[in-house]
Amino acid sequence: MVRLVLPNPGLENRIPSLSELDVIEKEEASSRPKWDNKAQYMLTCVGFCVGLGNVWRFPYLCQSHGGGAFMIPFLILLVLEGVPLLYLEFAIGQRLRKGSVGVWSSIHPTLKGVGIASMFVSFMVGLYYNTIIAWVMWYFFNSFQDPLPWSECPLNDNRTGYVEECTLSTPVDYFWYRETLNISDAISNSGSVQWWVLLCLTCAWSVLYVCVIRGIETTGKAVYITSTLPYVVLTIFLIRGLTLKGATNGIVFLFTPNVTELANPVTWLDAGAQVFYSFSLAFGGLISFSSYNSVHNNCEMDAIIVSVINGFTSVYAATVVYSIIGFRATERFDDCFSKNILTLINGFDLPEGNVTQENFVEMQQWCNATDPITFAKLKFQTCDMTSFLSEGVEGTGLAFIVFTEAITKMPVSPLWAVLFFIMLFCLGLSSMFGNMEGVVVPLQDLKVIPKKWPKEVLTGLICLGCYLLAFIFTLNSGQYWLSLLDNYAGSIPLLVIAFCEMFAVVYVYGVDRFNKDIEFMIGHKPNIFWQMTWRAVSPLLMLVILLFFLVVQVNQKLMYSVWDPAYEEFPKSHKISYPDWAYGVVVVVAGVPCLTIPGFAIYKFLRNRCRKPEHQQGLVSAPSTASVNGDLKC
């Protein structure tokens, strides 16, 4: 067993001893908030972890990486990385009783950059996450109509037929891409601000600001609804989805792995990133949440329960989505076949009903043998069920296209639409509380903001700044910008931060010390599984995934999907390359959080080298902790 521990002078002075923990907990009773009960804590953790990503990001990644093939690395990495790191964050937060910046500063002053990196990731994810809430609000406002506006194509300007772009695709596609996003045909074609999206974005940030001002102590009561309602709604949609034609095709596709995808390093990278993203690991929020627990809370059992619920939710949501994907793919397959049958009938002047899906190939052969010249002139579409099933709908489109189409098939569809978008709004808002806390608290803890500033002003300035930056998502190209940030802000930086967290606890804080802490808190030491994953397995897996990703991606062009009515295979997605300047955006989004960690360590080293010896003892300022509502306790 690896027992290497790096020198860490002064650690005993930076952390409370085990004998002091019970006394500290009693002293904090009046000055620091606590959970009302265990259920509230567990539901809050589940609510923070389970977000919009479980509904649209995980199913989309499954669709992008061969259905069930993605489930294999996801479940493997969930067990070998997600659960051990979740346990580690719960335990270290409960032991040191501080927020993310405070925890890593206590372990070693040069590790404060880990907390700052988490803050950057929370900021960038929150920047586009609230835009998704704005889209949810737009759909919610449009749900109070019967029929729903995405249930049928609008008439053209002459009122002589339907809009061509809609007839070539579907009403739900048209409402999403044209009526909601008014999307351009490339990220470089920015267009103008869409006023309806801007209005909803204003509402979204205003609601969030009001909620953050009041603090999440009050919203802790709402988790009894926000954490359970999604499962009720998902179950309703699953029952309805299973009654639709072709639903089983989608579910079979989901659980049938395309094993060739397992050799793709990007599949493993996306699986690893999704583990951290869906668990909200490396964001810093879970460390703060666990710090408000009793010293002797069983954090090991908490980690296992939350992991099982979260993993189950991802698979359950994917099953629901794929039942609808199967239905959509079957409808498109039937439409494609109907057009081919009509082409054959018209080309050879055959009686209607003579050609069916079952005898289509035989009739093609017969027609080809009868008149090869006429047959050669006919143009048939390629109708392949697998291609329709694997045709990706970009991330958020799964929620705004697949589910909205299912809603139109339900009786009293406006009711289900309202219910569905309330569910999405609750999921998104509860996650945004954690993201905002991940920005506000570190800024207070780092003392970059004058202490006399009221928290309301600081929070307001952060929300205003994010709101102004989010204007880019209201442009015609906003969806492409959001996908770019989602692909890189929530992947590589999370892996790097998670690796640094595990390395810091095991090799800087000391795994033997950590084992004794856990034994004091829960009554027994972590078993061999936790020891192996913390010491070697999890860190090595993260390094291997990152290495393979860099090797594969360094010479590969970045591609993205566009909605282009002029594309010859429209309405299929058109893959094109990102412009050169987009690489600079990727470097900023993915590189800044990663470089913050070594950057701050180098800064701290140089600063200490330049200071006089008698001043070098004050490496850490007075300990500070963040309350649930973000107020700093010093």
Side-chain angles (χ1 to χ4, degrees):
M1 195 73 76
V2 182
R3 292 187 177 275
L4 172 66
V5 179
L6 299 177
N8 191 0
L11 176 61
E12 298 291 347
N13 299 326
R14 296 193 297 268
I15 63 172
S17 65
L18 294 176
S19 59
E20 296 172 336
L21 283 179
D22 289 319
V23 177
I24 292 174
E25 182 179 359
K26 292 179 180 178
E27 292 176 350
E28 289 177 343
S30 59
S31 61
R32 203 163 186 267
K34 293 178 64 176
W35 302 107
D36 291 347
N37 51 61
K38 185 64 174 284
Q40 187 185 80
Y41 165 67
M42 295 298 290
L43 287 173
T44 301
C45 288
V46 170
F48 181 50
C49 296
V50 176
L52 295 173
N54 295 86
V55 175
W56 62 266
R57 197 171 193 268
F58 179 78
Y60 169 65
L61 290 173
C62 287
Q63 199 172 27
S64 302
H65 296 294
F70 185 77
M71 304 274 283
I72 296 172
F74 175 76
L75 293 175
I76 290 174
L77 295 177
L78 184 146
V79 172
L80 297 180
E81 286 186 348
V83 184
L85 185 59
L86 183 66
Y87 185 12
L88 182 143
E89 288 197 353
F90 278 168
I92 199 67
Q94 186 171 308
R95 166 65 176 90
L96 298 182
R97 315 196 66 72
K98 296 180 180 180
S100 60
V101 170
V103 162
W104 306 121
S105 298
S106 297
I107 290 176
H108 199 280
T110 57
L111 293 174
K112 185 180 285 187
V114 177
I116 298 174
S118 295
M119 179 190 70
F120 277 132
V121 174
S122 293
F123 170 76
M124 285 186 287
V125 171
L127 190 65
Y128 70 80
Y129 207 87
N130 219 33
T131 304
I132 301 173
I133 297 177
W135 293 339
V136 169
M137 295 179 78
W138 165 251
Y139 268 79
F140 175 76
F141 296 147
N142 278 279
S143 296
F144 295 93
Q145 303 179 45
D146 192 12
L148 292 169
W150 56 82
S151 62
E152 56 188 22
C153 289
L155 295 173
N156 58 25
D157 293 337
N158 297 328
R159 301 274 178 183
T160 57
Y162 296 112
V163 175
E164 184 181 8
E165 183 180 350
C166 184
T167 56
L168 290 175
S169 54
T170 65
V172 290
D173 287 327
Y174 181 81
F175 186 83
W176 168 243
Y177 287 110
R178 190 56 56 211
E179 297 285 349
T180 301
L181 303 176
N182 195 19
I183 200 165
S184 63
D185 57 2
I187 191 172
S188 55
N189 184 9
S190 299
S192 58
V193 171
Q194 308 304 300
W195 68 265
W196 55 92
V197 179
L198 178 61
L199 184 61
C200 292
L201 186 70
T202 305
C203 293
W205 279 105
S206 299
V207 170
L208 179 64
Y209 176 55
V210 171
C211 293
V212 173
I213 277 185
R214 294 174 63 87
I216 64 171
E217 287 179 310
T218 53
T219 61
K221 313 297 182 184
V223 296
Y224 297 105
I225 296 175
T226 58
S227 295
T228 55
L229 180 63
Y231 297 98
V232 176
V233 177
L234 284 174
T235 302
I236 293 172
F237 275 91
L238 178 61
I239 294 171
R240 178 54 182 162
L242 291 175
T243 64
L244 297 173
K245 180 184 177 182
T248 53
N249 292 333
I251 295 175
V252 169
F253 178 80
L254 172 64
F255 291 103
T256 303
N258 177 7
V259 292
T260 57
E261 280 288 336
L262 298 178
N264 184 359
V266 179
T267 301
W268 290 85
L269 175 78
D270 286 343
Q274 179 60 18
V275 167
F276 301 125
Y277 193 88
S278 64
F279 277 73
S280 296
L281 296 169
F283 284 91
L286 293 173
I287 294 177
S288 296
F289 286 155
S290 63
S291 69
Y292 306 115
N293 279 324
S294 167
V295 171
H296 298 289
N297 173 64
N298 192 341
C299 51
E300 181 180 286
M301 186 58 64
D302 294 347
I304 294 173
I305 293 173
V306 172
S307 300
V308 170
I309 293 175
N310 211 330
F312 166 78
T313 303
S314 294
V315 176
Y316 187 57
T319 304
V320 176
V321 170
Y322 267 82
S323 69
I324 308 301
I325 288 177
F327 162 67
R328 292 180 80 246
T330 302
E331 276 206 333
R332 293 192 173 190
F333 180 81
D334 290 343
D335 289 343
C336 179
F337 236 113
S338 297
K339 291 177 181 178
N340 284 347
I341 291 173
L342 187 62
T343 300
L344 192 62
I345 290 175
N346 292 338
F348 283 85
D349 207 14
L350 300 172
E352 287 188 23
N354 275 24
V355 184
T356 63
Q357 286 191 16
E358 289 74 20
N359 68 0
F360 181 74
V361 175
E362 295 175 7
M363 292 300 295
Q364 272 187 318
Q365 294 172 350
W366 179 81
C367 291
N368 188 28
T370 304
D371 189 350
I373 297 176
T374 302
F375 184 83
K377 294 179 180 178
L378 301 179
K379 292 185 178 180
F380 296 101
Q381 296 183 13
T382 302
C383 303
D384 180 43
M385 178 63 78
T386 302
S387 67
F388 284 123
L389 286 169
S390 58
E391 184 181 329
V393 180
E394 190 81 18
T396 49
L398 278 172
F400 295 110
I401 295 177
V402 174
F403 271 94
T404 51
E405 183 167 355
I407 288 171
T408 61
K409 308 296 180 182
M410 296 182 178
V412 199
S413 54
L415 172 64
W416 302 116
V418 169
L419 183 64
F420 175 66
F421 291 112
I422 286 177
M423 179 196 75
L424 291 186
F425 181 77
C426 292
L427 284 172
L429 196 61
S430 61
S431 296
M432 276 303 299
F433 290 147
N435 281 327
M436 285 302 297
E437 290 297 307
V439 178
V440 175
V441 173
L443 286 177
Q444 290 181 311
D445 212 2
L446 290 168
K447 297 180 173 61
V448 296
I449 304 297
K451 201 171 182 180
K452 61 182 180 180
W453 283 26
K455 179 179 178 290
E456 292 80 2
V457 174
L458 172 60
T459 304
L461 289 175
I462 293 173
C463 287
L464 179 62
C466 291
Y467 167 69
L468 295 175
L469 288 173
F471 270 38
I472 194 171
F473 303 121
T474 68
L475 300 173
N476 296 104
S477 59
Q479 160 69 12
Y480 305 136
W481 280 99
L482 190 142
S483 298
L484 183 65
L485 261 68
D486 181 50
N487 288 335
Y488 295 97
S491 55
I492 299 174
L494 293 178
L495 283 168
V496 173
I497 294 169
F499 172 81
C500 292
E501 287 184 354
M502 199 161 284
F503 183 86
V505 172
V506 175
Y507 298 111
V508 181
Y509 184 76
V511 71
D512 289 334
R513 179 193 300 273
F514 192 49
N515 288 335
K516 292 177 182 177
D517 292 344
I518 292 176
E519 183 178 20
F520 172 79
M521 292 189 295
I522 69 175
H524 63 84
K525 287 185 177 181
N527 59 35
I528 188 66
F529 170 78
W530 306 114
Q531 302 295 334
M532 293 294 294
T533 51
W534 286 338
R535 294 170 190 259
V537 176
S538 295
L540 285 176
L541 276 174
M542 295 179 205
L543 286 178
V544 169
I545 291 172
L546 278 173
L547 178 63
F548 271 101
F549 176 80
L550 292 174
V551 169
V552 171
Q553 293 289 322
V554 69
N555 292 320
Q556 192 175 41
K557 276 195 170 184
L558 300 180
M559 307 287 289
Y560 69 109
S561 299
V562 299
W563 178 263
D564 185 6
Y567 179 47
E568 58 183 11
E569 295 186 32
F570 181 81
K572 288 187 176 180
S573 298
H574 185 198
K575 288 274 188 180
I576 64 174
S577 300
Y578 275 109
D580 292 338
W581 53 261
Y583 289 82
V585 177
V586 172
V587 170
V588 172
V589 169
V592 169
C594 299
L595 295 175
T596 299
I597 299 172
F600 188 86
I602 293 171
Y603 159 76
K604 198 73 177 179
F605 173 77
L606 294 176
R607 184 186 177 195
N608 290 339
R609 291 278 294 183
C610 295
R611 295 176 69 182
K612 295 180 179 180
E614 62 267 20
H615 292 156
Q616 291 185 5
Q617 58 185 1
L619 295 176
V620 183
S621 59
S624 58
T625 58
S627 70
V628 172
N629 62 7
D631 295 328
L632 196 65
K633 308 293 183 181
C634 297

